[in-house]
């Protein structure tokens, strides 16, 4: 079962991962229908790997909230997410800074 919060934008080989469906919808609109995979929070990652594979993306760009800089629990969760996404064969991973 896919538990990723929502997907905004059209099919693309590049997907941005962010927190929250509203933010993803707005960002997708402002970025000409870019593909955003929106999770419910950094601890709501179940189904992310399957979703990325099913979308056929070859590049994932992390666009997470900046509270990772001040909250060690958030930072650790994002590091875990990064590690899991980087294990997916054929996907290049980068951070949007």
């Amino acid at each position: 079962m896919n538990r990723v919060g929502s997907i905004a934008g059209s099919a693309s080989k590049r997907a941005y991962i962010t927190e929250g469906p509203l933010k993803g919808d707005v960002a997708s609109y402002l970025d000409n229908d870019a593909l955003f995979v929106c999770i419910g929070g950094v601890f709501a990652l179940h189904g992310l790997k399957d979703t990325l594979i099913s979308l056929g993306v070859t590049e994932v760009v992390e666009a997470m909230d900046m509270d990772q800089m001040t909250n060690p629990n958030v930072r650790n969760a994002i590091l875990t997410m990064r590690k899991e996404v980087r294990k997916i064969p054929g996907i290049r991973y980068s951070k949007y800074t």
Side-chain angles (χ1 to χ4, degrees):
M1 176 177 208
N2 181 343
R3 298 192 185 192
V4 170
S6 70
I7 298 172
S10 62
S12 174
K13 294 298 177 188
R14 176 185 296 150
Y16 295 87
I17 298 177
T18 193
E19 296 172 76
L22 179 59
K23 185 187 338 174
D25 286 345
V26 172
S28 177
Y29 174 79
L30 293 174
D31 196 12
N32 297 314
D33 207 27
L35 177 60
F36 279 77
V37 175
C38 312
I39 59 174
V42 293
F43 299 102
L45 301 175
H46 183 77
L48 179 61
K49 178 180 175 182
D50 292 336
T51 298
L52 294 173
I53 291 169
S54 70
L55 290 170
V57 298
T58 57
E59 180 182 6
V60 170
V61 180
E62 174 190 311
M64 303 301 280
D65 292 348
M66 292 307 295
D67 60 340
Q68 65 181 295
M69 305 306 266
T70 58
N71 185 328
N73 293 324
V74 172
R75 178 77 176 148
N76 289 335
I78 289 174
L79 291 173
T80 299
M81 178 191 70
R82 253 184 231 159
K83 188 185 307 182
E84 291 305 310
V85 173
R86 285 181 171 154
K87 288 181 186 176
I88 303 170
I91 291 184
R92 187 176 64 221
Y93 190 90
S94 62
K95 294 187 305 180
Y96 183 82
T97 57

